[in-house]
Structure formats: structure tokens, C-alpha cells
Amino acid sequence: MPERNAAIVGYGLTEVGKVFGRTARGFAADAVRLAVADAGLALGDIDGLLVNARAGTDLNLSLARTLGLQDLRMLSEVNAFGASAAIMAAQASKAVLAGEAETVVCVFADDPKEENAGGSDAYRATSLTATGFRSAETAAGFTSVNHRYALAARRYMDHYGVTSSQLGAVAVSQRAWALDNPVAQMRTPLSLDDYHRSRWVVDPLHLLDCCLVSNGGAAVVVTTPERARDLPTTPVYVRGWGQAHPGHVLERGSDFGLVTGAAVSGPAALKMAGMTVDDIDLREIYDCYTYTLLVTLEDYGFCGKGEAGELAASGALAPGGALPTNTGGGQLSSFYLWGMTPLVEGLTQLRGEAGVRQVTRHGTAIVSGNGGILDHHGTLVLSTAAA
């Protein structure tokens, strides 16, 4: 465990959702400006910038020039897909603790949603252009990320006896959180019957098992604990981190769908923080699908394997439950900005700024990121206490 813990001292979130006529770079620039201002700093105080972007956007290292940043000591693009936010925050933390930089901004932004196109269109393109051996997947009907996660979810459900209603309980609980989140895209009540009536996407996934598609940007500012003490915001300390990249192979004997990188990344982050799952007040879990949340909770150790479905159905994850999880509505009901979605909500809760949805005990949080088809995982353990 580091003798000193880096601190996240600011975050910025642009307007998210159906926001058209803007580019990823524009969203990113605004998110950085918002985060820096939130921290009580100026752009000239920034000496490190880490950029995360989906392929095909206009967001890249030139963001530094767009912002007028000069004399940076750290500048890089980081991409482990949805795991990137956690990994960027860890890299920034290591950099400021090692003296490689003093104040580093981590940013993600995206602009996939088009005014007259379906939400999944932007994410289908890469599958449709697969070449070589992978083109056999396309010929077999695997034309989107949804198909591949459906394969994982079906295997998980069949192996552990998890039901569709238990997946639905995740969607219902997160919608309940979103009702009191002013930035959430989905703020109408949702029942389990509503979930079952939602159209099928790919068996066993209904529409409400799948995350939103959002335009927008988010950024966080990481600095030294010494610098944090002089700033006006409540510092949130990065107590632990971990990452894992399982390299699943889709063949007989693989544990694809049953065990994820969370099983390595989570315990590593908790060990660095000197904590166990019993010390965690808030769980902000990457929920690209309802299934992903369940398997991550299990792999982190909040319950046994195959037990997260029952946990969700019990109401434990919902407002008023014993294990408040995805307290802003998550990617299913709030917004989808890769790993920045759970990170921003974790910071909001830890700083006591969540308003009506504020959780009473909010001293510690675990934040997850998942990238690819369960290919990458990043975990952060955050706390309002430095040690």
C-alpha cells in the first residue's frame, strides 16, 4: 500500500445523452474545463493529460493543443475500452506519487449517437467489417457486441441457474436510483413486468438488459495529497487499484462468461487499499449489461458465485437496500460514458453531493471498469480518508 495516496480533486461531466451537433473532441475539451474549474484550478496548473477515446472519433492527443496546454510532463492515449477510466486514474495516481507530474487530468468523450439512427448502429460497424477467420462469426450471425455478451450471459445463467427475472431485478433497481438523478437519461419508473415486456435484443437479453448509448464527456483531476489539501473540494483518495486481462478463448474448457477479470482486479485493489469487501460502502459497477453487474459482484466477493441474482431480487442493491449499488442508475438508466459512468457517480457520492439519492454511509467505494467482451477489467478503491 502506498505511504501516500493520490487524490481526485475535481470532476467534470458535460450534458449527456441525446446531445447532437457536437464532436467527441468538443465534449472532451468541455469536460476537462469543467473538471479543472471544479478542482479550483486553472488549465495552466495541469501538467499531465491522459486521453481515452473510442476508435473513429476525432479525440486524440491533439486535445492538448485544443485546450492550449503547454509544457506537459505527461501526455498519452490510454485504451482498454470500458476499463480505461480505472486504468487512467491508476496511472495518473502512480505518476503524481512518483513525481512524474503533479496534476493530471483523465478524460473520455464520445459521440456515437446520431439523431436519425438507432442506438446500436455505431457499435455494430466493427463487427460487420471483420475479416479473415473472424468473418465466420459475422456469417454465423454475430454482428454486434450484444450477440457476444448474450453468449456469455446464457452460459452464466445456465451454469448457475440465474433467471431472467433476476436479471430484470438489476434493471429495476438501477432505474429506481436514476429517478432521483437529474442527469439520468431514463427517469420514469420501471417494474419487473415492464422489463419482461421489453423487446428481445438477443436471447437472453431484453432491451432493458442493455446499456444506453450516450453522447458526452467526463474528466477527473488527480493530484498529490499535499496539493489536495490546498484546494477547495473534498479530496477523494485513490487507495487501491488493479487490472486484469484474462485472454479468454472460446473453446471447450474455457471459463468465458463464468469468471471475469474482476476476480483478479478486485482483490488486488482491495489488498492495496488494506480493505475487504466488508469495508466498502458503495459499489459503482460497470453495467454494460445486467449480467455484467451480477458476475462482477460475485467475482469481487460481495457474494458467492451464482448468488448475485438472488441478491438483486432481494432488493439489496436498490435504494434502501443493504448493498447500495450503481446509485446514479448506472449505464442501464443514467448514461453510458464507458468507465467514467461509475467513476463519476462514485465521486459524487463520496463527496456527499448526490442530493436525494445520497447514501448515508459514503466513506468508501469500489469502482469497476470492463472492456471488450470481458477482455479487460480495471478496479479502483476510493475513500474520503487518506489512509
Side-chain angles (χ1 to χ4, degrees):
M1 183 169 64
E3 294 181 2
R4 298 155 65 238
N5 296 111
I8 299 176
V9 292
Y11 66 92
L13 179 67
T14 69
E15 187 180 3
V16 289
K18 297 179 180 180
V19 188
F20 303 115
R22 305 190 58 194
T23 69
R25 185 187 300 190
F27 282 124
D30 283 352
V32 170
R33 294 185 184 104
L34 288 168
V36 170
D38 178 60
L41 297 168
L43 284 172
D45 296 315
I46 303 305
D47 61 357
L49 179 65
L50 297 178
V51 179
N52 174 220
R54 179 176 58 88
T57 72
D58 66 343
L59 179 55
N60 51 46
L61 294 183
S62 65
L63 176 66
R65 187 175 296 276
T66 298
L67 290 164
L69 299 178
Q70 296 180 316
D71 300 319
L72 293 177
R73 299 168 64 195
M74 184 179 190
L75 176 63
S76 186
E77 293 183 42
V78 177
N79 202 334
F81 305 106
S84 303
I87 292 172
M88 284 194 297
Q91 290 182 350
S93 296
K94 287 183 280 188
V96 301
L97 293 176
E100 297 174 11
E102 185 177 49
T103 307
V104 180
V105 176
C106 308
V107 61
F108 169 80
D110 204 0
D111 58 355
K113 197 168 185 65
E114 298 181 8
E115 197 161 2
N116 298 311
S120 63
D121 291 347
Y123 300 116
R124 182 180 292 118
T126 53
S127 293
L128 291 175
T129 57
T131 60
F133 182 78
R134 277 206 61 200
S135 64
E137 296 180 8
T138 303
F142 282 70
T143 59
S144 75
V145 172
N146 292 331
H147 291 91
R148 293 173 173 84
Y149 269 98
L151 190 69
R154 174 52 68 194
R155 188 177 190 208
Y156 168 81
M157 294 170 74
D158 288 352
H159 187 84
Y160 291 115
V162 174
T163 67
S164 181
S165 289
Q166 289 172 342
L167 293 184
V170 174
V172 170
S173 70
Q174 295 197 189
R175 181 64 61 84
W177 284 112
L179 298 180
D180 291 320
N181 184 357
V183 304
Q185 289 179 230
M186 308 300 290
R187 299 186 65 194
T188 56
L190 178 69
S191 69
L192 194 56
D193 285 341
D194 293 330
Y195 164 83
H196 283 297
R197 283 194 295 266
S198 68
R199 67 175 176 85
W200 289 103
V201 175
V202 184
D203 181 38
L205 302 176
H206 288 267
L207 177 66
L208 294 175
D209 287 304
C210 306
C211 69
L212 298 164
V213 177
S214 310
N215 293 346
V220 299
V221 181
V222 181
T223 193
T224 64
E226 294 82 10
R227 185 71 181 276
R229 285 195 287 268
D230 296 328
L231 297 175
T233 56
T234 299
V236 173
Y237 296 96
V238 185
R239 296 280 298 275
W241 56 76
Q243 59 177 293
H245 310 271
H248 294 293
V249 289
L250 300 183
E251 61 184 35
R252 187 184 301 273
S254 168
D255 59 6
F256 173 74
L258 304 180
V259 180
T260 73
V264 173
S265 177
L270 287 164
K271 182 178 180 181
M272 179 183 290
M275 298 184 196
T276 71
V277 292
D278 293 333
D279 298 312
I280 300 299
D281 297 329
L282 297 154
R283 285 139 291 276
E284 306 298 346
I285 305 298
Y286 196 96
D287 57 318
C288 48
Y289 299 88
T290 52
Y291 147 76
T292 318
L293 180 138
L294 296 181
V295 74
T296 302
L297 286 176
E298 293 170 2
D299 286 346
Y300 277 174
F302 286 101
C303 59
K305 292 299 293 182
E307 296 177 358
E310 293 182 6
L311 195 66
S314 76
L317 313 181
L323 297 173
T325 299
N326 288 2
T327 51
Q331 297 164 329
L332 296 173
S333 281
S334 185
F335 59 87
Y336 180 63
L337 290 182
W338 282 15
M340 281 294 180
T341 302
L343 179 53
V344 165
E345 176 62 18
L347 295 172
T348 302
Q349 287 282 347
L350 288 169
R351 285 172 35 163
E353 297 171 349
V356 176
R357 71 182 190 284
Q358 181 66 56
V359 175
T360 303
R361 291 183 56 210
H362 56 272
T364 57
I366 193 166
V367 174
S368 80
N370 165 70
I373 317 299
L374 305 175
D375 296 308
H376 315 287
H377 200 92
T379 308
L380 297 174
V381 176
L382 307 177
S383 174
T384 54

